[in-house]
Amino acid sequence: LDLGDVGTPRDIILFEYSPSIALKIMNSLRVHDFAFIQRSSGQWTYAIIAEKREDAIRFVVNVNGDTKTLSKKHWYTSIRWVNPEEAC
């Protein structure tokens, strides 16, 4: 996968947790981890974490270096984990 690629259902791990548990797990994400983020178009695209604060995560969303910042209130609805079996 390359930055900005649209994820397929096989690429993306859906949350099977309550929002509170998922947010606790999301706190384990670190700078340079990959994830899928939901774009304004509704598509899920492959991105890398550039900066993580307690209240927001900034992602690089494409090879041009464009970024998108998600505040904590949007983490549960707008971030999904990468399926490691499909990301190779």
Side-chain angles (χ1 to χ4, degrees):
L1 292 168
D2 292 317
L3 292 180
D5 283 354
V6 176
T8 68
R10 291 179 53 183
D11 297 325
I12 301 169
I13 296 177
L14 299 176
F15 293 136
E16 297 180 7
Y17 308 103
S18 70
S20 61
I21 292 173
L23 287 174
K24 286 180 185 178
I25 294 169
M26 251 186 236
N27 280 324
S28 69
L29 291 172
R30 301 284 177 246
V31 170
H32 299 140
D33 283 349
F34 291 94
F36 285 95
I37 62 168
Q38 190 171 39
R39 306 302 301 277
S40 302
S41 66
Q43 293 182 311
W44 292 91
T45 60
Y46 193 62
I48 188 169
I49 297 174
E51 177 185 10
K52 183 174 180 208
R53 299 187 319 260
E54 187 173 315
D55 62 339
I57 301 175
R58 184 169 51 95
F59 292 89
V60 176
V61 297
N62 59 35
V63 295
N64 296 327
D66 295 328
T67 63
K68 179 172 183 168
T69 301
L70 295 171
S71 63
K72 193 168 193 168
K73 69 180 180 178
H74 296 290
W75 291 1
Y76 181 75
T77 58
S78 300
I79 301 172
R80 296 292 181 264
W81 291 294
V82 177
N83 182 350
E85 295 176 10
E86 297 297 326
C88 301

